mmCIF file of all heavy atoms in Angstrom:
data_model
loop_
_atom_site.group_PDB
_atom_site.id
_atom_site.type_symbol
_atom_site.label_atom_id
_atom_site.label_comp_id
_atom_site.label_asym_id
_atom_site.label_seq_id
_atom_site.Cartn_x
_atom_site.Cartn_y
_atom_site.Cartn_z
ATOM 1 N N TYR U 1 135.559 107.853 118.519
ATOM 2 C CA TYR U 1 136.401 106.904 117.780
ATOM 3 C C TYR U 1 136.150 107.050 116.283
ATOM 4 O O TYR U 1 137.085 107.080 115.480
ATOM 5 C CB TYR U 1 136.077 105.492 118.254
ATOM 6 C CG TYR U 1 136.957 104.392 117.714
ATOM 7 C CD1 TYR U 1 138.343 104.427 117.848
ATOM 8 C CD2 TYR U 1 136.393 103.269 117.093
ATOM 9 C CE1 TYR U 1 139.146 103.406 117.375
ATOM 10 C CE2 TYR U 1 137.188 102.241 116.614
ATOM 11 C CZ TYR U 1 138.558 102.310 116.755
ATOM 12 O OH TYR U 1 139.343 101.286 116.293
ATOM 13 N N GLU U 2 134.897 107.184 115.918
ATOM 14 C CA GLU U 2 134.531 107.358 114.511
ATOM 15 C C GLU U 2 135.104 108.653 113.936
ATOM 16 O O GLU U 2 135.489 108.706 112.766
ATOM 17 C CB GLU U 2 133.013 107.352 114.384
ATOM 18 C CG GLU U 2 132.492 107.485 112.967
ATOM 19 C CD GLU U 2 130.985 107.284 112.910
ATOM 20 O OE1 GLU U 2 130.244 108.259 113.150
ATOM 21 O OE2 GLU U 2 130.556 106.147 112.636
ATOM 22 N N LYS U 3 135.196 109.680 114.753
ATOM 23 C CA LYS U 3 135.691 110.971 114.284
ATOM 24 C C LYS U 3 137.190 110.953 114.000
ATOM 25 O O LYS U 3 137.704 111.823 113.294
ATOM 26 C CB LYS U 3 135.346 112.067 115.302
ATOM 27 C CG LYS U 3 133.862 112.421 115.306
ATOM 28 C CD LYS U 3 133.481 113.336 116.450
ATOM 29 C CE LYS U 3 131.982 113.614 116.424
ATOM 30 N NZ LYS U 3 131.522 114.357 117.621
ATOM 31 N N ILE U 4 137.905 109.962 114.532
ATOM 32 C CA ILE U 4 139.322 109.811 114.221
ATOM 33 C C ILE U 4 139.516 109.069 112.903
ATOM 34 O O ILE U 4 140.496 109.287 112.194
ATOM 35 C CB ILE U 4 140.036 109.032 115.355
ATOM 36 C CG1 ILE U 4 139.990 109.840 116.649
ATOM 37 C CG2 ILE U 4 141.480 108.709 114.996
ATOM 38 C CD1 ILE U 4 140.548 109.089 117.857
ATOM 39 N N ILE U 5 138.546 108.216 112.551
ATOM 40 C CA ILE U 5 138.705 107.293 111.431
ATOM 41 C C ILE U 5 137.871 107.663 110.203
ATOM 42 O O ILE U 5 138.341 107.571 109.062
ATOM 43 C CB ILE U 5 138.307 105.861 111.878
ATOM 44 C CG1 ILE U 5 139.182 105.408 113.044
ATOM 45 C CG2 ILE U 5 138.383 104.883 110.712
ATOM 46 C CD1 ILE U 5 138.681 104.160 113.741
ATOM 47 N N GLY U 6 136.633 108.064 110.411
ATOM 48 C CA GLY U 6 135.652 108.173 109.334
ATOM 49 C C GLY U 6 135.953 109.229 108.286
ATOM 50 O O GLY U 6 136.562 110.276 108.554
ATOM 51 N N GLY U 7 135.499 108.962 107.082
ATOM 52 C CA GLY U 7 135.686 109.876 105.971
ATOM 53 C C GLY U 7 134.959 111.197 106.138
ATOM 54 O O GLY U 7 135.316 112.191 105.491
ATOM 55 N N LYS U 8 133.955 111.220 106.992
ATOM 56 C CA LYS U 8 133.236 112.472 107.231
ATOM 57 C C LYS U 8 134.135 113.508 107.890
ATOM 58 O O LYS U 8 133.899 114.724 107.770
ATOM 59 C CB LYS U 8 132.013 112.197 108.110
ATOM 60 C CG LYS U 8 131.143 113.419 108.368
ATOM 61 C CD LYS U 8 129.887 113.054 109.155
ATOM 62 C CE LYS U 8 129.005 114.270 109.385
ATOM 63 N NZ LYS U 8 127.770 113.930 110.113
ATOM 64 N N TYR U 9 135.184 113.050 108.579
ATOM 65 C CA TYR U 9 136.003 113.944 109.394
ATOM 66 C C TYR U 9 137.470 114.042 108.954
ATOM 67 O O TYR U 9 138.154 114.993 109.326
ATOM 68 C CB TYR U 9 135.962 113.468 110.857
ATOM 69 C CG TYR U 9 134.565 113.244 111.370
ATOM 70 C CD1 TYR U 9 134.007 111.963 111.407
ATOM 71 C CD2 TYR U 9 133.774 114.310 111.792
ATOM 72 C CE1 TYR U 9 132.719 111.755 111.862
ATOM 73 C CE2 TYR U 9 132.477 114.110 112.248
ATOM 74 C CZ TYR U 9 131.949 112.822 112.282
ATOM 75 O OH TYR U 9 130.667 112.617 112.718
ATOM 76 N N MET U 10 137.955 113.081 108.187
ATOM 77 C CA MET U 10 139.378 113.021 107.867
ATOM 78 C C MET U 10 139.880 114.286 107.169
ATOM 79 O O MET U 10 140.936 114.834 107.511
ATOM 80 C CB MET U 10 139.678 111.789 107.000
ATOM 81 C CG MET U 10 141.146 111.470 106.868
ATOM 82 S SD MET U 10 141.455 110.068 105.755
ATOM 83 C CE MET U 10 140.657 108.742 106.636
ATOM 84 N N GLY U 11 139.147 114.764 106.190
ATOM 85 C CA GLY U 11 139.556 115.962 105.465
ATOM 86 C C GLY U 11 139.594 117.194 106.349
ATOM 87 O O GLY U 11 140.491 118.043 106.218
ATOM 88 N N GLU U 12 138.645 117.290 107.272
ATOM 89 C CA GLU U 12 138.613 118.437 108.177
ATOM 90 C C GLU U 12 139.804 118.412 109.136
ATOM 91 O O GLU U 12 140.375 119.466 109.455
ATOM 92 C CB GLU U 12 137.302 118.446 108.966
ATOM 93 C CG GLU U 12 137.140 119.601 109.942
ATOM 94 C CD GLU U 12 137.106 120.976 109.296
ATOM 95 O OE1 GLU U 12 137.088 121.069 108.048
ATOM 96 O OE2 GLU U 12 137.106 121.976 110.039
ATOM 97 N N ILE U 13 140.209 117.240 109.585
ATOM 98 C CA ILE U 13 141.396 117.141 110.438
ATOM 99 C C ILE U 13 142.617 117.642 109.676
ATOM 100 O O ILE U 13 143.435 118.407 110.211
ATOM 101 C CB ILE U 13 141.606 115.694 110.916
ATOM 102 C CG1 ILE U 13 140.458 115.266 111.834
ATOM 103 C CG2 ILE U 13 142.939 115.560 111.655
ATOM 104 C CD1 ILE U 13 140.481 113.791 112.211
ATOM 105 N N VAL U 14 142.750 117.226 108.420
ATOM 106 C CA VAL U 14 143.872 117.684 107.592
ATOM 107 C C VAL U 14 143.847 119.203 107.465
ATOM 108 O O VAL U 14 144.885 119.870 107.610
ATOM 109 C CB VAL U 14 143.819 117.028 106.193
ATOM 110 C CG1 VAL U 14 144.781 117.733 105.234
ATOM 111 C CG2 VAL U 14 144.154 115.549 106.283
ATOM 112 N N ARG U 15 142.671 119.773 107.217
ATOM 113 C CA ARG U 15 142.562 121.230 107.058
ATOM 114 C C ARG U 15 143.045 121.946 108.317
ATOM 115 O O ARG U 15 143.776 122.949 108.235
ATOM 116 C CB ARG U 15 141.111 121.614 106.759
ATOM 117 C CG ARG U 15 140.912 123.091 106.385
ATOM 118 C CD ARG U 15 139.428 123.440 106.262
ATOM 119 N NE ARG U 15 138.788 123.463 107.567
ATOM 120 C CZ ARG U 15 138.782 124.515 108.392
ATOM 121 N NH1 ARG U 15 139.398 125.642 108.043
ATOM 122 N NH2 ARG U 15 138.169 124.454 109.562
ATOM 123 N N LEU U 16 142.671 121.446 109.466
ATOM 124 C CA LEU U 16 143.062 122.075 110.731
ATOM 125 C C LEU U 16 144.579 121.983 110.952
ATOM 126 O O LEU U 16 145.197 122.925 111.459
ATOM 127 C CB LEU U 16 142.312 121.423 111.889
ATOM 128 C CG LEU U 16 140.802 121.690 111.919
ATOM 129 C CD1 LEU U 16 140.128 120.817 112.970
ATOM 130 C CD2 LEU U 16 140.510 123.164 112.182
ATOM 131 N N VAL U 17 145.173 120.871 110.572
ATOM 132 C CA VAL U 17 146.634 120.726 110.684
ATOM 133 C C VAL U 17 147.324 121.719 109.759
ATOM 134 O O VAL U 17 148.313 122.383 110.139
ATOM 135 C CB VAL U 17 147.081 119.288 110.369
ATOM 136 C CG1 VAL U 17 148.607 119.192 110.388
ATOM 137 C CG2 VAL U 17 146.479 118.299 111.358
ATOM 138 N N LEU U 18 146.807 121.848 108.541
ATOM 139 C CA LEU U 18 147.404 122.794 107.582
ATOM 140 C C LEU U 18 147.328 124.223 108.115
ATOM 141 O O LEU U 18 148.304 124.992 107.998
ATOM 142 C CB LEU U 18 146.697 122.696 106.232
ATOM 143 C CG LEU U 18 146.795 121.358 105.486
ATOM 144 C CD1 LEU U 18 146.058 121.440 104.152
ATOM 145 C CD2 LEU U 18 148.250 120.945 105.272
ATOM 146 N N LEU U 19 146.209 124.597 108.709
ATOM 147 C CA LEU U 19 146.079 125.947 109.268
ATOM 148 C C LEU U 19 147.067 126.171 110.413
ATOM 149 O O LEU U 19 147.613 127.271 110.560
ATOM 150 C CB LEU U 19 144.645 126.173 109.755
ATOM 151 C CG LEU U 19 143.578 126.353 108.668
ATOM 152 C CD1 LEU U 19 142.207 126.540 109.298
ATOM 153 C CD2 LEU U 19 143.908 127.546 107.770
ATOM 154 N N LYS U 20 147.297 125.143 111.213
ATOM 155 C CA LYS U 20 148.264 125.261 112.312
ATOM 156 C C LYS U 20 149.668 125.511 111.745
ATOM 157 O O LYS U 20 150.424 126.345 112.260
ATOM 158 C CB LYS U 20 148.246 123.978 113.147
ATOM 159 C CG LYS U 20 149.234 123.957 114.310
ATOM 160 C CD LYS U 20 148.853 124.963 115.386
ATOM 161 C CE LYS U 20 149.793 124.891 116.593
ATOM 162 N NZ LYS U 20 149.652 123.626 117.351
ATOM 163 N N LEU U 21 150.019 124.814 110.680
ATOM 164 C CA LEU U 21 151.321 124.999 110.054
ATOM 165 C C LEU U 21 151.445 126.389 109.426
ATOM 166 O O LEU U 21 152.525 126.997 109.449
ATOM 167 C CB LEU U 21 151.554 123.918 108.997
ATOM 168 C CG LEU U 21 151.688 122.482 109.526
ATOM 169 C CD1 LEU U 21 151.766 121.486 108.378
ATOM 170 C CD2 LEU U 21 152.911 122.361 110.427
ATOM 171 N N VAL U 22 150.343 126.883 108.881
ATOM 172 C CA VAL U 22 150.353 128.251 108.336
ATOM 173 C C VAL U 22 150.587 129.253 109.466
ATOM 174 O O VAL U 22 151.389 130.195 109.330
ATOM 175 C CB VAL U 22 149.017 128.557 107.619
ATOM 176 C CG1 VAL U 22 148.935 130.051 107.278
ATOM 177 C CG2 VAL U 22 148.887 127.728 106.349
ATOM 178 N N ASP U 23 149.892 129.069 110.582
ATOM 179 C CA ASP U 23 150.039 129.975 111.728
ATOM 180 C C ASP U 23 151.474 129.992 112.250
ATOM 181 O O ASP U 23 151.938 131.010 112.764
ATOM 182 C CB ASP U 23 149.094 129.558 112.859
ATOM 183 C CG ASP U 23 147.638 129.863 112.537
ATOM 184 O OD1 ASP U 23 147.397 130.673 111.614
ATOM 185 O OD2 ASP U 23 146.744 129.289 113.188
ATOM 186 N N GLU U 24 152.160 128.851 112.108
ATOM 187 C CA GLU U 24 153.545 128.769 112.573
ATOM 188 C C GLU U 24 154.541 129.146 111.473
ATOM 189 O O GLU U 24 155.740 128.943 111.619
ATOM 190 C CB GLU U 24 153.816 127.356 113.094
ATOM 191 C CG GLU U 24 152.988 127.014 114.330
ATOM 192 C CD GLU U 24 153.269 125.622 114.871
ATOM 193 O OE1 GLU U 24 154.043 124.874 114.225
ATOM 194 O OE2 GLU U 24 152.727 125.286 115.937
ATOM 195 N N ASN U 25 153.993 129.677 110.374
ATOM 196 C CA ASN U 25 154.799 130.153 109.241
ATOM 197 C C ASN U 25 155.641 129.036 108.603
ATOM 198 O O ASN U 25 156.738 129.277 108.098
ATOM 199 C CB ASN U 25 155.710 131.295 109.682
ATOM 200 C CG ASN U 25 156.108 132.187 108.512
ATOM 201 O OD1 ASN U 25 155.333 132.354 107.559
ATOM 202 N ND2 ASN U 25 157.307 132.745 108.551
ATOM 203 N N LEU U 26 155.080 127.830 108.611
ATOM 204 C CA LEU U 26 155.769 126.678 108.033
ATOM 205 C C LEU U 26 155.168 126.256 106.699
ATOM 206 O O LEU U 26 155.677 125.331 106.060
ATOM 207 C CB LEU U 26 155.708 125.496 109.014
ATOM 208 C CG LEU U 26 156.410 125.699 110.358
ATOM 209 C CD1 LEU U 26 156.117 124.534 111.296
ATOM 210 C CD2 LEU U 26 157.916 125.851 110.148
ATOM 211 N N LEU U 27 154.108 126.953 106.275
ATOM 212 C CA LEU U 27 153.399 126.541 105.067
ATOM 213 C C LEU U 27 152.795 127.753 104.377
ATOM 214 O O LEU U 27 152.292 128.678 105.026
ATOM 215 C CB LEU U 27 152.292 125.540 105.454
ATOM 216 C CG LEU U 27 151.577 124.775 104.350
ATOM 217 C CD1 LEU U 27 152.548 123.867 103.590
ATOM 218 C CD2 LEU U 27 150.459 123.916 104.947
ATOM 219 N N PHE U 28 152.853 127.778 103.055
ATOM 220 C CA PHE U 28 152.239 128.839 102.232
ATOM 221 C C PHE U 28 152.701 130.245 102.647
ATOM 222 O O PHE U 28 151.909 131.200 102.637
ATOM 223 C CB PHE U 28 150.710 128.756 102.292
ATOM 224 C CG PHE U 28 150.143 127.414 101.977
ATOM 225 C CD1 PHE U 28 149.104 126.886 102.748
ATOM 226 C CD2 PHE U 28 150.629 126.644 100.928
ATOM 227 C CE1 PHE U 28 148.564 125.637 102.462
ATOM 228 C CE2 PHE U 28 150.109 125.388 100.639
ATOM 229 C CZ PHE U 28 149.074 124.883 101.415
ATOM 230 N N ASN U 29 153.955 130.355 103.057
ATOM 231 C CA ASN U 29 154.512 131.648 103.475
ATOM 232 C C ASN U 29 153.706 132.299 104.593
ATOM 233 O O ASN U 29 153.663 133.531 104.718
ATOM 234 C CB ASN U 29 154.609 132.613 102.283
ATOM 235 C CG ASN U 29 155.659 132.169 101.282
ATOM 236 O OD1 ASN U 29 156.737 131.712 101.660
ATOM 237 N ND2 ASN U 29 155.347 132.296 100.004
ATOM 238 N N GLY U 30 153.064 131.466 105.389
ATOM 239 C CA GLY U 30 152.315 131.982 106.538
ATOM 240 C C GLY U 30 150.981 132.600 106.182
ATOM 241 O O GLY U 30 150.373 133.280 107.030
ATOM 242 N N GLU U 31 150.493 132.384 104.958
ATOM 243 C CA GLU U 31 149.219 132.984 104.549
ATOM 244 C C GLU U 31 148.262 131.906 104.040
ATOM 245 O O GLU U 31 148.587 131.147 103.129
ATOM 246 C CB GLU U 31 149.449 134.027 103.452
ATOM 247 C CG GLU U 31 150.297 135.216 103.909
ATOM 248 C CD GLU U 31 150.458 136.253 102.809
ATOM 249 O OE1 GLU U 31 149.756 136.123 101.778
ATOM 250 O OE2 GLU U 31 151.272 137.174 102.968
ATOM 251 N N ALA U 32 147.071 131.858 104.638
ATOM 252 C CA ALA U 32 146.032 130.906 104.226
ATOM 253 C C ALA U 32 144.928 131.648 103.483
ATOM 254 O O ALA U 32 144.607 132.795 103.797
ATOM 255 C CB ALA U 32 145.444 130.199 105.444
ATOM 256 N N SER U 33 144.365 131.011 102.480
ATOM 257 C CA SER U 33 143.251 131.615 101.742
ATOM 258 C C SER U 33 141.969 131.518 102.560
ATOM 259 O O SER U 33 141.869 130.725 103.503
ATOM 260 C CB SER U 33 143.064 130.887 100.413
ATOM 261 O OG SER U 33 142.663 129.538 100.640
ATOM 262 N N GLU U 34 140.994 132.335 102.190
ATOM 263 C CA GLU U 34 139.709 132.284 102.884
ATOM 264 C C GLU U 34 139.045 130.912 102.712
ATOM 265 O O GLU U 34 138.368 130.427 103.620
ATOM 266 C CB GLU U 34 138.780 133.386 102.362
ATOM 267 C CG GLU U 34 139.174 134.779 102.793
ATOM 268 C CD GLU U 34 139.239 134.916 104.308
ATOM 269 O OE1 GLU U 34 138.295 134.427 104.990
ATOM 270 O OE2 GLU U 34 140.228 135.476 104.808
ATOM 271 N N LYS U 35 139.260 130.314 101.551
ATOM 272 C CA LYS U 35 138.656 128.998 101.312
ATOM 273 C C LYS U 35 139.245 127.958 102.247
ATOM 274 O O LYS U 35 138.521 127.123 102.798
ATOM 275 C CB LYS U 35 138.857 128.577 99.851
ATOM 276 C CG LYS U 35 138.099 127.316 99.475
ATOM 277 C CD LYS U 35 138.153 127.071 97.971
ATOM 278 C CE LYS U 35 137.332 125.829 97.611
ATOM 279 N NZ LYS U 35 137.350 125.562 96.152
ATOM 280 N N LEU U 36 140.555 128.005 102.450
ATOM 281 C CA LEU U 36 141.186 127.048 103.358
ATOM 282 C C LEU U 36 140.741 127.298 104.799
ATOM 283 O O LEU U 36 140.674 126.360 105.602
ATOM 284 C CB LEU U 36 142.706 127.134 103.258
ATOM 285 C CG LEU U 36 143.488 126.073 104.042
ATOM 286 C CD1 LEU U 36 143.195 124.669 103.503
ATOM 287 C CD2 LEU U 36 144.992 126.343 103.983
ATOM 288 N N LYS U 37 140.409 128.527 105.116
ATOM 289 C CA LYS U 37 139.967 128.864 106.471
ATOM 290 C C LYS U 37 138.523 128.450 106.738
ATOM 291 O O LYS U 37 138.070 128.495 107.881
ATOM 292 C CB LYS U 37 140.094 130.380 106.698
ATOM 293 C CG LYS U 37 141.517 130.903 106.731
ATOM 294 C CD LYS U 37 141.510 132.418 106.906
ATOM 295 C CE LYS U 37 142.918 132.988 106.874
ATOM 296 N NZ LYS U 37 142.911 134.479 106.999
ATOM 297 N N THR U 38 137.816 128.073 105.686
ATOM 298 C CA THR U 38 136.394 127.747 105.825
ATOM 299 C C THR U 38 136.197 126.280 106.197
ATOM 300 O O THR U 38 136.698 125.389 105.509
ATOM 301 C CB THR U 38 135.641 128.042 104.510
ATOM 302 O OG1 THR U 38 135.861 129.415 104.147
ATOM 303 C CG2 THR U 38 134.146 127.784 104.686
ATOM 304 N N ARG U 39 135.474 126.044 107.275
ATOM 305 C CA ARG U 39 135.263 124.679 107.773
ATOM 306 C C ARG U 39 134.565 123.811 106.734
ATOM 307 O O ARG U 39 133.605 124.230 106.098
ATOM 308 C CB ARG U 39 134.416 124.720 109.059
ATOM 309 C CG ARG U 39 134.210 123.358 109.712
ATOM 310 C CD ARG U 39 133.727 123.521 111.136
ATOM 311 N NE ARG U 39 132.364 124.032 111.193
ATOM 312 C CZ ARG U 39 131.279 123.269 111.271
ATOM 313 N NH1 ARG U 39 131.406 121.958 111.274
ATOM 314 N NH2 ARG U 39 130.086 123.809 111.340
ATOM 315 N N GLY U 40 135.068 122.609 106.568
ATOM 316 C CA GLY U 40 134.430 121.627 105.696
ATOM 317 C C GLY U 40 134.831 121.693 104.237
ATOM 318 O O GLY U 40 134.363 120.883 103.434
ATOM 319 N N THR U 41 135.705 122.624 103.880
ATOM 320 C CA THR U 41 136.061 122.783 102.455
ATOM 321 C C THR U 41 137.053 121.728 101.972
ATOM 322 O O THR U 41 137.035 121.337 100.803
ATOM 323 C CB THR U 41 136.654 124.172 102.186
ATOM 324 O OG1 THR U 41 137.731 124.409 103.111
ATOM 325 C CG2 THR U 41 135.603 125.253 102.361
ATOM 326 N N PHE U 42 137.931 121.264 102.869
ATOM 327 C CA PHE U 42 138.929 120.271 102.465
ATOM 328 C C PHE U 42 138.323 118.883 102.674
ATOM 329 O O PHE U 42 138.420 118.290 103.741
ATOM 330 C CB PHE U 42 140.227 120.427 103.269
ATOM 331 C CG PHE U 42 141.428 119.825 102.579
ATOM 332 C CD1 PHE U 42 142.249 120.605 101.777
ATOM 333 C CD2 PHE U 42 141.729 118.477 102.707
ATOM 334 C CE1 PHE U 42 143.354 120.067 101.127
ATOM 335 C CE2 PHE U 42 142.827 117.920 102.073
ATOM 336 C CZ PHE U 42 143.645 118.709 101.274
ATOM 337 N N GLU U 43 137.685 118.390 101.630
ATOM 338 C CA GLU U 43 136.962 117.124 101.734
ATOM 339 C C GLU U 43 137.930 115.940 101.742
ATOM 340 O O GLU U 43 139.074 116.035 101.272
ATOM 341 C CB GLU U 43 135.977 116.987 100.572
ATOM 342 C CG GLU U 43 134.949 118.109 100.529
ATOM 343 C CD GLU U 43 134.103 118.055 99.265
ATOM 344 O OE1 GLU U 43 134.087 117.008 98.588
ATOM 345 O OE2 GLU U 43 133.464 119.080 98.953
ATOM 346 N N THR U 44 137.457 114.814 102.255
ATOM 347 C CA THR U 44 138.313 113.629 102.356
ATOM 348 C C THR U 44 138.757 113.133 100.980
ATOM 349 O O THR U 44 139.835 112.544 100.851
ATOM 350 C CB THR U 44 137.582 112.526 103.138
ATOM 351 O OG1 THR U 44 137.328 113.017 104.471
ATOM 352 C CG2 THR U 44 138.407 111.253 103.234
#
């Protein structure tokens, strides 16, 4: 429950959604940077 709400995890959830959209060629012309691919980089 905390992992859905807490600030420790919110940014990482967003990062994973963004990567999914990149994979589906709906964002950033289908190309993600290495930084965006790195876990924990998109902070809350």
Side-chain angles (χ1 to χ4, degrees):
Y1 187 55
E2 182 172 84
K3 287 171 182 172
I4 296 174
I5 301 167
K8 183 175 181 178
Y9 309 98
M10 193 183 296
E12 180 63 6
I13 294 172
V14 167
R15 188 187 71 85
L16 292 171
V17 176
L18 297 181
L19 287 179
K20 179 68 177 292
L21 294 174
V22 170
D23 288 343
E24 295 181 355
N25 204 31
L26 297 173
L27 191 63
F28 308 137
N29 291 320
E31 297 182 10
S33 65
E34 288 302 315
K35 188 171 182 180
L36 187 64
K37 292 178 183 178
T38 304
R39 184 164 70 93
T41 52
F42 202 94
E43 301 172 17
T44 298

